[in-house]
Amino acid sequence: MPAWLRRRAPPLLPASLASLPDNDYGAHWGQYNGSQAFFDSDGTLFAQQAKGVVDVSEWQDNIDWAKAKAAGVQGAIIRLTFGANKRFDQYAQRNISECKRLGIPFGVYLYSYAANTTDANSEGASMVEKLQEAGVKPGDMQYPVFYDLERWIWSGHNPPSDPDTYTAMVDAWWAQLQAKGYTNLSVYSYPSYLNTALNSSSIHARTHWVASYGPRPGFTYTTNDRGWQYTSNGKVDGFSGSVDLNAFGVLNSTDAVAVYRVYNPNSGLHHYTTSLGEKNSLVKLGWKDEGVSFNAAKQGSASGLKPVYREYNPYNGTHNWTLSSAEHEKLVSLGWRDEGVAWYANPAGAVTVYRLYNPYSGEHVYTTSAEEYAKVGAAGWRQEGVAWQGL
């Protein structure tokens, strides 16, 4: 093994923006508050902690999901079915299987043809049936089950135009899904329909995903978490034609804190901290700023949080971070300095943080990149599995 591999890891891949394109009207990707973010054309923040997400159906044919992930796809919303008692979308089960295999967070949607509450009840029951048949449990999805409400065209039938009618329909569909444990639910539509037939405060409060292909989303979200389908003609590797592109994130970061990552090119050590001041001080000393590694939970922001402890070895200058109180206590008993709780992990977090150990230098490295985890492991580092879940 080359000596440099024994001393240090190669620099971790820097935190980068989504590789998905911007739209043609100036809506664009950027950074905000230390995280990936999406902005409208005049620079107004739409969402921080944002992920680049595609939504797909059989119109995209046979997708090469591995290429799509490598090209920057960070999530997918998959059409499962349409109407009531209809067939599966032709590629739904394959798309779900590939997202599961590759670790791509996903949600699903049903395109509605309902005209009344009876239809909506049937669509809800059909959605549950298809989810169960596809083997998709509530915990499998990091994104919601979406009810896609649009002004459909069907010979001899007319869609509703009264918001009260639609509110009752959404209630009916919602109840069918909730009764079977699918509680992460949302409405999807577009501004002109949301401002007319769907102009209901009840529906707007449940609308987390909107299609708008101009410079701005065109809808006033009442929710903190939101998605913007910002173009329908995206070009991304892995897709033979166009695909819808979306930004999903939150407006206000009320329960997350950025964990910064820096790299010392002289010692080969990596360091992780939630302190912007500590990060900046290390950068002034020559450490390389590698951006935000992941987001962690703030204390008290949710139930079930687990402390991640930080220890310092005064003999070789390495730090350690661990979710294990037993490991923390053992290291402190061996002379490591107890530096308290670094941040909190949320077991329900959608971002997996892996841990590697260099048996030659004693350093631990933490990464959210499965590719990097595999490559550094192949270079002789000990793969120690999942360290914790990030946000």
Side-chain angles (χ1 to χ4, degrees):
M1 179 184 299
W4 69 270
L5 279 178
R6 296 175 184 170
R7 294 196 305 271
R8 65 187 70 177
L12 297 186
L13 302 175
S16 61
L17 302 182
S19 300
L20 301 189
D22 302 335
N23 81 3
D24 295 333
Y25 299 92
H28 59 279
W29 292 95
Q31 284 196 325
Y32 183 86
N33 197 28
S35 76
Q36 182 171 276
F38 197 75
F39 302 85
D40 69 20
S41 63
D42 64 9
T44 300
L45 176 69
F46 170 72
Q48 57 184 303
Q49 299 169 28
K51 302 295 184 184
V53 177
V54 295
D55 62 275
V56 299
S57 70
E58 59 196 38
W59 296 107
Q60 276 69 52
D61 295 322
N62 198 21
I63 300 164
D64 188 328
W65 283 103
K67 285 185 177 180
K69 182 177 181 180
V73 170
Q74 299 170 305
I77 311 299
I78 299 164
R79 187 174 77 165
L80 190 65
T81 185
F82 43 90
N85 302 315
K86 302 292 185 182
R87 62 173 174 82
F88 275 110
D89 178 282
Q90 182 180 350
Y91 285 95
Q93 291 182 301
R94 180 184 182 275
N95 289 336
I96 290 167
S97 177
E98 283 294 276
C99 284
K100 285 184 175 181
R101 181 179 71 85
L102 294 167
I104 300 173
F106 72 95
V108 298
Y109 76 93
L110 174 144
Y111 184 95
S112 174
Y113 284 106
N116 51 53
T117 54
T118 300
D119 294 344
N121 265 313
S122 296
E123 287 186 338
S126 177
M127 191 64 168
V128 169
E129 177 185 314
K130 292 294 190 292
L131 284 164
Q132 293 176 339
E133 190 175 340
V136 178
K137 301 183 176 86
D140 293 338
M141 294 177 288
Q142 291 90 343
Y143 291 102
V145 178
F146 290 96
Y147 199 22
D148 182 351
L149 301 178
E150 305 180 35
R151 191 180 188 282
W152 42 265
I153 299 173
W154 184 10
S155 179
H157 297 79
N158 292 309
S161 58
D162 176 37
D164 290 339
T165 300
Y166 260 120
T167 298
M169 289 166 53
V170 171
D171 288 344
W173 182 87
W174 214 269
Q176 289 286 339
L177 274 295
Q178 283 187 320
K180 298 299 182 180
Y182 296 93
T183 57
N184 188 10
L185 308 172
S186 173
V187 168
Y188 160 91
S189 195
Y190 45 91
S192 62
Y193 213 47
L194 285 161
N195 292 328
T196 53
L198 301 180
N199 193 14
S200 154
S201 60
S202 174
I203 292 176
H204 287 191
R206 290 181 277 185
T207 301
H208 299 252
W209 182 26
V210 174
S212 179
Y213 305 145
R216 287 168 289 279
F219 173 72
T220 302
Y221 291 77
T222 62
T223 59
N224 188 43
D225 57 307
R226 68 271 303 279
W228 178 4
Q229 186 186 85
Y230 63 86
T231 185
S232 61
N233 62 356
K235 304 297 182 185
V236 179
D237 197 19
F239 297 86
S240 58
S242 297
V243 62
D244 296 339
L245 303 182
N246 307 265
F248 276 82
V250 297
L251 179 60
N252 299 307
S253 178
T254 57
D255 57 2
V257 59
V259 177
Y260 302 102
R261 180 179 66 211
V262 289
Y263 170 70
N264 188 326
N266 298 311
S267 68
L269 296 178
H270 296 87
H271 188 69
Y272 307 82
T273 179
T274 60
S275 168
L276 185 60
E278 182 181 17
K279 187 262 288 187
N280 289 340
S281 294
L282 291 174
V283 170
K284 286 181 180 178
L285 292 172
W287 292 62
K288 183 180 178 182
D289 184 355
E290 293 190 325
V292 176
S293 181
F294 55 91
N295 289 294
K298 290 182 179 178
Q299 185 177 12
S301 63
S303 61
L305 300 183
K306 305 294 184 183
V308 174
Y309 302 97
R310 170 171 147 170
E311 306 91 16
Y312 173 70
N313 187 330
Y315 302 103
N316 64 8
T318 60
H319 277 86
N320 185 65
W321 293 263
T322 180
L323 197 64
S324 169
S325 59
E327 180 182 8
H328 171 68
E329 292 167 5
K330 178 66 173 178
L331 291 176
V332 171
S333 73
L334 292 173
W336 290 60
R337 186 181 302 158
D338 181 354
E339 295 192 334
V341 175
W343 54 76
Y344 289 81
N346 188 333
V351 177
T352 299
V353 181
Y354 301 96
R355 174 167 134 162
L356 297 119
Y357 174 69
N358 187 328
Y360 301 98
S361 68
E363 181 192 10
H364 280 99
V365 159
Y366 306 82
T367 178
T368 61
S369 169
E371 178 185 6
E372 185 173 45
Y373 181 70
K375 286 184 176 179
V376 177
W381 289 61
R382 187 180 302 157
Q383 294 174 312
E384 295 190 332
V386 176
W388 54 77
Q389 296 299 122
L391 303 176

